[in-house]
Amino acid sequence: MSAGQALDPSLGPSPERGGEPRVDRVLEQVRAQLDLDAETEYELLAELRGHLEDAVAAARARGLDEEAALAEAAARFGVDEVGRELQAAHVGWGTADGVVAAGMPVLCALILRWLVFAPDGTAVGWREVLVRPAFWAVALAALLVPLLRFPRWRYALISWAFFWVMSVIFFALPAVRW
Amino acid sequence: MVSQIDQMRKGTTTVAILKLLVDEEEPLHGYEIIRRLDARGEGYFRFKEGLVYPRLHRMERDGLLESRWVGAPGTRRRKMYAVTERGRHQLEVEMERWQTFSRQMDQLLGLEGA
């Protein structure tokens, strides 16, 4: 492979790239149709790479040379249609996750506000919430909903971190008026 | 123009994938799903292979499938798909619908007992 054919690392991981440089060109055509977040595109292209490498290997095992094997694999794959369909299938997923990821901590914080604060705006008596079932219900929801809802851990971690930082602050500074 | 067979295939891809994964009783990656579907259909339902992936992803989003990546970082990794309980239930519903549809069509076309 020449320097001019340097592979784009964002086209997904491939320990066997040295043998399949042209697969990258097919993936580039798919990627040209995508307008998704980087992580989603990376995963999609990694999955498609595995498919194309298998298809090329199968064609070569039937006696085709590399060029013909790739041409056959790409034709059977349906590059343009796949790019469009993947875009249609995934567009909006990240946005929906983002909305929930942003809304979840706010909802938990509002419930905490209702549970924790005295009418004067302080968190005095905060320790009492530890024996309230409602507190543990909120805590469990804050733990489990992100875990079950988000395919990506970073969203879950953001929700968890927000909830527990709020809890620690209330616990450490109960007399402060919030 | 999209052929009638293409239209029918599109409408039945979900149930075909669910049935395959239930029958095989093991998680499969996309290429293997396509290969085995092709073998089951004896090539009759051949379609653009890549179009299975958006379908798999939609099924996963709908809770019919679950997936996990297999393989250590730095090696070839595979996204393996398996049927969820919801997917199994959906398969039962779709199979029932298909049998009813098929029976009614046979009756309509006078193919009963043919």
Side-chain angles (χ1 to χ4, degrees), chain B residues 23-39:
Chain B
D23 288 350
E24 299 291 332
E25 297 182 329
E26 60 176 345
L28 298 173
H29 55 75
Y31 183 79
E32 195 58 31
I33 289 171
I34 292 162
R35 204 182 65 77
R36 294 192 194 187
L37 283 178
D38 198 36

Side-chain angles (χ1 to χ4, degrees), chain A residues 94-148:
Chain A
T95 307
D97 277 356
V99 168
V100 178
M104 178 81 193
V106 172
L107 179 65
C108 289
L110 286 172
I111 296 172
L112 263 187
R113 166 72 180 82
W114 169 67
L115 284 172
V116 170
F117 288 103
D120 67 356
T122 67
V124 173
W126 149 257
R127 287 172 181 78
E128 290 170 19
V129 301
L130 294 176
V131 297
R132 288 192 203 167
F135 169 78
W136 293 107
V138 174
L140 268 179
L143 283 169
L144 293 180
V145 171
L147 180 66
L148 299 175

